[in-house]
Amino acid sequence: MIIDLANTTTRKIQDALTASRHRMGGPATGKVLTLIVVTDEAAQYDAIRASAEVAREHPCRILGVITRGRDADPRFDAEVRVGETGPGETVLLRLYGQLADHADSVVLPLLVPDTPLVTWWPGTAPATPGEEALGALAQRRVTDSAGGADPLDTLKRLAAGYRPGDTDFAWARITPWRSLLAAALDQPHDDITAVRVEAEGDNSSAALLGGWLSVRLGVPAEVSPSPGPGITAVRMSTKTGDIAVTRPDGRVATLSRPDQPDRQVALHRRSTAELLAEELRRLDPDEVYHEAVERFAKGLEAAGKPAPAPQEQVKAAKPKAKKS
Amino acid sequence: MTGIEDVFNPLRDPRDKRLPRVAGPCVLVLFGVTGDLARKKLLPAIYDLANRGLLPPGFALVGFARRDWEHQDFRQLAHDAVKEHARTPFREDVWNQLAEGIHFVPGTFDDDASFEELARAVKELDEKRGTGGNYAFYLSIPPKFFQDVVKQLQRSGLSKPSENSWRRVVIEKPFGHDLASARELNAILHEVFPEESIFRIDHYLGKETVQNILALRFANTLYEPIWNRSYVDHVQITMAEDIGIGGRAGYFDGIGAARDVIQNHLLQLLALTAMEEPVSFEAEAVRAEKAKILSAVRLPADLDTYTVRGQYTAGWQGGVKVPGFREEEGIPQSSRTDTYAAMRLDIDTRRWAGVPFYLRTGKRLARRATEVALLFQTAPHLPFAQTDTEELGQNALVIRVQPDEGVTLRFGSKVPGTSMEVRDVNMDFDYGESFTESSPEAYERLLLDVLIGDPPLFPRQEEVERSWQILDPVEEYWEKHGAPEPYPAGSWGPKAADEMMARDGRAWRRL
């Protein structure tokens, strides 16, 4: 069901949501969070579509906030979609004039009560997400440093403006890489002395991967350009040779270790919906991301302090409740 | 368990919740590759794990069966099974990587040469794909072959781990058909494999909703204060199936519903529902609590009154005319096998004294449903006129295990209107509809746990034996007295089951 409300109020939107729920006989609750998507007219279709896909895993109310002509009189239009694309509800809000600066006043009455709130900027990331009106409200602020011009510079800005709860898609993009690298080091290995990440130029994911490896391993990391696509290799040097994961084609990765046969595994690049779903799975601050982005901002060349000493680490890392 | 957990890995950090647990290098050797389970569940689950990036690089799967097959034929079978049954989208790259590691060894269980061939094959995989000498043997075959296979694994040296590698063996229920046979089966396995490397799969324990029982009980404050005899009147644990025995006649005849379902699934559900809070979620702690509560389970003194068995006759099930049990192919006319079983159990603990647990299961019932229902005592006093609350029943908390997994809370609510009338309403938490879309299937979770070597979701021998100790006297009593009461297919079971509840002044929930 799609309800168009031109020049409307939040009260009318609430009424429309309630009425459509009654008409469809659906339950009033069941939504686990509110997702605010801050976007523009050109990008809204893809962003809302990805959100709706994610709503299957995380039933939520999606509020798309779209800024329109700033010279117009302040008013807003709403498009309410219920039961069209999945279990959640979607409200597209088009804000005109000065109202763009007061988007929070429109959004506040429409949040699902007493549940977490996530704000996502699929396009150009704001300077300091945590200080944006729509960001300060949220537990979790998701940006995409690769969504605008100059990803590396954006990432530096995000590092400087970091508040607990910030994360970036560039980080979610490398979870499969990190998982594979961590699995590689689950096996006995020699001490790692240096790390090199090879990636297409200006790749903020590669920068974060370098930052993470540098923090965790306590060694200098280097990001060097390659023809791509995306990240093509990670090489961790040990005294007996490199432990390397290479992915020249963006699809299949090869894990090579000294004195062992090469092993291959599919390592595909992830879709927007997959990235967003991962972001919504945990809503607490991502401290590991913070460390990685901070290390990147300070420069990857310095070795820095190694990860916590093995004794305490092993104890803490020993999986206790493997329930997830 | 060797190695893996002892290696310090600086890239692992408990705060880093994005990183999944990934299995280490290994070979999974699958016996019984042509069976239904392998095609519908295991092979798709392996693909799904690969697709989620949870299998190690270089993972290998070796099929073993009495077929004149090349690797290619087994790959084709796996390919078809994956295409048809996998839950995650089919990706060519993932499949190609997986397929390269799929091998096949033809042979029979009594043929020494074929096991030597198998040993050679896995050795070769270690060298070619770097599987590290770690092997898991999945025995998806009838238990009568366990002895042969286990002996062969020993003889060919496959069962013996070398330095820094592991061996695991995975078996499916039934774990015997009574206490004696369960012990015998175990003795066979123990001759070759130590207890900690035996993984018994009860796929119910891999279900999200079953694991959610623990979350519901021990992560909340809301339920614990009422989870006892002061508030709970009784508990009903049901597993109803709408299908008949299908192609399982050979196995099912002589075994029956009680052995097939109550001994494992329902008693496990009972244990999770009734057990005390474990001191942690380590495997040992959870198992200890389950074993404790199972040891406090008491059968009713009067088995005639408080156990019921039935057998379905021809009838209409869901609008389709279906044959009776004795008319099913492969079932003798004289069969006394139970296709329905119900019983009352009591638990002798402070928490549960006087709270009966009613268990029921059956084939060809009206619909498919598995649930645990706690029915609460009625309010000691109702300040309403009697006519106002005529439609108010007992409050109930229902954990729906399948289908549409979720939790239902039933309580009284005022009917809108000018008069005071209170009626039962349901409050629903729907787990299945929204959350499970991409959550792993039970077999995926369990296979991964096997490959990682994480045992909390697998029943250990002690629990299996204790369950048989509970059920054996009932089966012995049934053996000697009477016969199963017929019930028409598509109904909710024999009348005696309703009478059993009526005698206690209670009734089964209509599902």
Side-chain angles (χ1 to χ4, degrees), chain A residues 56 178 182 186 284 286, chain B residues 9 12 15-18 434:
Chain A
R56 277 177 224 286
R178 297 196 305 121
D186 276 339
D284 47 340
D286 192 336
Chain B
N9 184 350
R12 297 251 178 234
R15 296 170 309 161
D16 196 346
K17 296 170 187 165
R18 289 175 196 253
S434 28

Side-chain angles (χ1 to χ4, degrees), chain B residues 316-483:
Chain B
W316 289 82
Q317 199 285 328
V320 180
K321 192 160 171 31
V322 294
F325 179 67
R326 292 183 185 184
E327 289 112 56
E328 301 266 14
E329 210 183 306
I331 302 293
Q333 271 296 314
S334 56
S335 173
R336 295 175 67 227
T337 304
D338 49 304
T339 66
Y340 178 100
M343 63 188 64
R344 171 185 162 148
L345 296 175
D346 282 83
I347 300 180
D348 289 333
T349 62
R350 172 175 279 240
R351 187 189 284 267
W352 295 116
V355 179
F357 282 67
Y358 299 98
L359 274 47
R360 63 171 161 166
T361 181
K363 310 263 174 216
R364 281 267 186 252
L365 297 182
R367 59 172 285 226
R368 166 170 168 256
T370 302
E371 64 162 45
V372 177
L374 278 81
L375 286 103
F376 292 91
Q377 296 164 16
T378 46
H381 169 72
L382 290 169
F384 306 100
Q386 212 245 316
T387 49
D388 296 346
T389 55
E390 267 173 347
E391 286 184 73
L392 177 64
Q394 282 169 296
N395 293 163
L397 178 73
V398 183
I399 298 160
R400 305 192 306 271
V401 177
Q402 70 174 19
D404 47 79
E405 297 95 328
V407 181
T408 299
L409 193 60
R410 190 178 64 179
F411 55 90
S413 167
K414 182 183 174 303
V415 180
T418 49
S419 66
M420 187 67 196
E421 194 191 330
V422 183
R423 186 192 290 171
D424 284 333
V425 293
N426 285 327
M427 194 159 79
D428 251 351
F429 161 62
D430 218 324
Y431 201 84
E433 203 165 66
S434 28
F435 275 112
T436 54
E437 184 100 6
S438 69
S439 77
E441 216 266 337
Y443 274 100
E444 243 179 276
R445 169 73 201 260
L446 294 173
L447 268 175
L448 182 62
D449 281 0
V450 168
L451 299 182
I452 290 178
D454 189 21
L457 297 178
F458 302 87
R460 77 178 158 186
Q461 182 59 16
E462 193 184 338
E463 290 165 57
V464 173
E465 288 186 11
R466 179 59 203 152
S467 309
W468 284 121
Q469 275 169 5
I470 295 170
L471 193 62
D472 275 356
V474 178
E475 292 285 353
E476 277 159 30
Y477 181 85
W478 284 352
E479 195 62 44
K480 294 195 189 96
H481 301 86

Side-chain angles (χ1 to χ4, degrees), chain A residues 56-57 140 171 178 182 186-187 216 251-252 261 263-264 268 278-279 284 286-287 291 313 322, chain B residues 8-10 12-13 15-18 22 25 57-58 91 93 97 127 129-130 434 438 445 454:
Chain A
R56 277 177 224 286
E57 186 179 332
R140 197 68 189 249
W171 180 239
R178 297 196 305 121
D186 276 339
Q187 307 305 318
R216 299 305 307 172
R251 300 151 75 107
V252 178
R263 294 168 231 186
Q264 299 192 318
H268 65 273
E278 177 177 307
E279 290 299 344
D284 47 340
D286 192 336
E287 294 135 338
E291 289 170 3
Q313 185 63 22
K322 295 178 183 169
Chain B
F8 166 62
N9 184 350
R12 297 251 178 234
D13 178 344
R15 296 170 309 161
D16 196 346
K17 296 170 187 165
R18 289 175 196 253
V22 179
R91 283 204 188 94
D93 295 329
Q97 279 321 309
E127 281 154 24
R129 286 180 70 87
S434 28
S438 69
R445 169 73 201 260
D454 189 21

Side-chain angles (χ1 to χ4, degrees), chain B residues 16-28:
Chain B
D16 196 346
K17 296 170 187 165
R18 289 175 196 253
L19 289 193
R21 304 174 302 147
V22 179
C26 59
V27 183
L28 178 65

Side-chain angles (χ1 to χ4, degrees), chain A residues 72-315:
Chain A
D73 287 336
R75 67 173 176 99
F76 70 101
D77 297 346
E79 184 181 328
V80 179
R81 302 179 191 159
V82 180
E84 287 291 316
T85 45
E89 302 162 334
T90 305
V91 182
L92 285 188
L93 300 160
R94 292 186 168 84
L95 312 185
Y96 290 85
Q98 283 173 14
L99 196 51
D101 301 327
H102 304 282
D104 52 329
S105 76
V106 179
V107 160
L108 262 182
L110 298 176
L111 305 180
V112 179
D114 208 15
T115 52
L117 171 60
V118 179
T119 305
W120 173 37
W121 289 267
T124 307
T128 315
E131 283 176 10
E132 292 284 306
L134 291 177
L137 292 172
Q139 267 90 347
R140 197 68 189 249
R141 290 166 291 277
V142 185
T143 50
D144 185 358
S145 52
D150 202 346
L152 293 181
D153 194 52
T154 308
L155 199 58
K156 281 213 172 91
R157 268 195 298 113
L158 290 170
Y162 175 87
R163 303 275 184 284
D166 286 4
T167 68
D168 195 84
F169 265 10
W171 180 239
R173 284 194 184 98
I174 51 172
T175 305
W177 275 95
R178 297 196 305 121
S179 167
L180 189 56
L181 292 166
L185 297 196
D186 276 339
Q187 307 305 318
H189 59 86
D190 288 315
D191 282 347
I192 289 157
T193 50
V195 172
R196 192 164 91 226
V197 180
E198 296 167 17
E200 245 173 313
D202 277 356
N203 188 307
S204 48
S205 287
L208 282 173
L209 190 54
W212 176 64
L213 288 168
S214 167
V215 172
R216 299 305 307 172
L217 300 171
V219 298
E222 177 197 347
V223 179
S224 58
S226 78
I231 299 172
T232 51
V234 174
R235 298 179 202 281
M236 300 184 282
S237 315
T238 72
K239 63 175 191 284
T240 47
D242 281 3
I243 300 174
V245 178
T246 48
R247 186 189 66 175
D249 61 354
R251 300 151 75 107
V252 178
T254 305
L255 168 65
S256 14
R257 313 174 63 111
D259 308 325
Q260 284 190 24
D262 281 359
R263 294 168 231 186
Q264 299 192 318
V265 69
L267 190 66
H268 65 273
R269 308 184 72 186
R270 308 166 94 194
S271 73
T272 308
E274 279 174 275
L275 299 174
L276 188 59
E278 177 177 307
E279 290 299 344
L280 298 189
R281 225 160 276 150
R282 311 270 181 178
L283 296 170
D284 47 340
D286 192 336
E287 294 135 338
V288 183
Y289 161 73
H290 183 206
E291 289 170 3
V293 75
E294 208 171 34
R295 171 61 57 91
F296 156 72
K298 286 188 180 149
L300 299 175
E301 298 76 27
K305 215 168 64 179
Q311 295 87 336
E312 43 189 288
Q313 185 63 22
V314 165
K315 215 164 173 209

